[in-house]
Amino acid sequence: MTLLDGITSRLIDTDRLTVNILERAGDDPATAPEQTVVLVHGNVSSSLFWQELMQDLPSDLRVIAIDLRGFGETESMPVDATRGVRDFSDDVRSALVALGIETAHLVGWSMGGGVVMQYALDHPALSLTLQAPVSPYGFGGTRRDGSRLTDDDAGTGAGGANADFVQRLTDRDTTDDAPTSPRNVFRSGYVAPGYTSEHEDLWVESMNTTSTAAGNYPGDGVESPNWPGFAAGKIGVLNTMAPGYFNTSGIVDLAVKPPVLWVHGTVDAIVSDASFFDLNHLGAIGVIPGWPGEEIAPAQPMVSQTRDVLDAYRAAGGTVTEVVLEGVGHSPHLERPALFRRALLEVIGYIGRPADPAPPTETIILSSSD
C-alpha cells in the first residue's frame, strides 16, 4: 500500500471485523470529537484516495480514513445487501467504538455518502459532508419522488456490472489498453475530462484493492421479467444501493439534525440526473437496445432527488450548505482540493462563514492625533 508523507496505516480489531484505517503521524488520539474528522470512501476505491486531503487539513484536527469491508486493507467479508449499506455503516461504528470515538464529523464520498447518511440515522454525528453522494433513494430504478419503478428493482444492482471490468479488478490491472480498465474508468468516470494527477497510479492502486470475492463486488443478480432482464440480488456491494434495500431520506425526520455540506460537480458522470452508469439513461440514449420508454423506465434524477431531500431537511430545521463546482466530475476533493477543504472546514466550524447577508458598514473618521 502506497502511503504519502505523514500518513500511517494500521489494522484495528473490532467486534465485527478487522478494519484498516489511515491516520496522520502526530495526530493526538485524545483530540475532542469536535475536532475529529472521519473520511469514508466510495465504491471501487479505498482510504488511499483521501491522502492528499488528509495532508492538507490543519494539524490540530484528528483525521481518520476508514477502509470499508472488502476494500483497501480491511477484512473481506460478505455484504448483506438486504440491509442496504448498514453492514458498512455498522462497521464504521464498530471501528470508531474501538478507537474510543463516540461521535465525529463524517465525510462520505459517493457510496460513502450513503454510508454516512445511514450512520447518522443510527448513531450521533456532529456534521455530514456529502461529496457526490448516492441519492437518498439508492442507485437506479426510482422516480423523482423515490418511488420504485418495479417491485424487483429491475436494472439495478450487480447485474449491471461490466464483467471485463470486474475481471480486471481481480487481476489488479494497471493498464490503459481498454475502456474497462480501472485506469480508464477512473479517467472517464471519476474525474472530469482534462484532469491529471501525479498520483494517478495511486488512485488506480486504490481501485484495485476492491475485493471481487463472493459477496463483495459486485454481488449477485437475478433474472427479471422487466427490462433490461435482471434485478438486484441479495448479496454484494452494488445490490446494497438497490432502492428496495436502500433509503436514507429518513434523515429529514432526525430529532437532532447535524449540519450538512453537499458538494458536487456539474459534469459528474456517475451521480447525475443523466448518469452514464444508470441503465435507464443508457437505454434512453440508445446505448442499450430495447428501452421501453420514459413512462416505464425513466432515468433516475439523482441530483434532483438529493436536492429535494435536503430541501426538506432544511425546511424541517436542519442546516444545509450546497457547493456546486462548475466543470468538476465525481471527485471534488481531487479536482478542486482548496475549495473542498475550505467548505469542509466551514461546516465543522473550524473557520467562520462569511455573514449572509453582510452586516451594514459604517465609516469611522479618526483625527490625525488618534
Side-chain angles (χ1 to χ4, degrees), residues 197-257:
S197 169
E198 63 178 314
H199 297 307
E200 184 179 85
D201 288 346
L202 177 54
W203 312 147
V204 175
E205 175 186 338
S206 177
M207 295 172 70
N208 277 329
T209 67
T210 301
S211 171
T212 57
N216 291 113
Y217 183 88
D220 65 328
V222 298
E223 292 184 359
S224 171
N226 303 301
W227 189 87
F230 69 86
K234 294 184 177 181
I235 60 171
V237 175
L238 290 186
N239 294 322
T240 66
M241 293 173 282
Y245 306 141
F246 178 98
N247 188 327
T248 57
S249 64
I251 62 170
V252 171
D253 301 318
L254 285 174
V256 177
K257 293 180 170 62

Side-chain angles (χ1 to χ4, degrees), residues 21 41 85 91 95 109 127 191 228 259 268 336 361 367:
I21 63 171
H41 65 82
V85 293
D91 291 347
W109 173 32
S127 71
V191 291
D268 190 335
R336 298 290 188 275
T361 60
S367 68

Side-chain angles (χ1 to χ4, degrees), residues 34 42 47 59 83 86 121 131 225 243 255 266 349:
E34 291 77 16
S47 60
S59 61
R83 303 186 70 232
R86 288 179 181 86
L121 287 170
Q131 176 183 240
T266 60

Side-chain angles (χ1 to χ4, degrees), residues 336-354:
R336 298 290 188 275
L339 292 175
F340 183 83
R341 181 177 66 249
R342 180 176 181 85
L344 172 59
L345 292 175
E346 287 180 354
V347 77
I348 70 173
Y350 189 87
I351 58 176
R353 300 181 182 85

Side-chain angles (χ1 to χ4, degrees), residues 43-79:
N43 191 16
V44 190
S45 63
S46 75
S47 60
L48 295 177
F49 266 98
W50 293 117
Q51 292 188 85
E52 288 182 321
L53 175 66
M54 295 176 72
Q55 289 179 317
D56 290 344
L57 288 173
S59 61
D60 54 341
L61 297 175
R62 185 183 186 190
V63 186
I64 299 166
I66 294 178
D67 281 335
L68 299 176
R69 69 167 62 189
F71 298 97
E73 298 296 317
T74 288
E75 188 175 354
S76 177
M77 295 179 63
V79 179

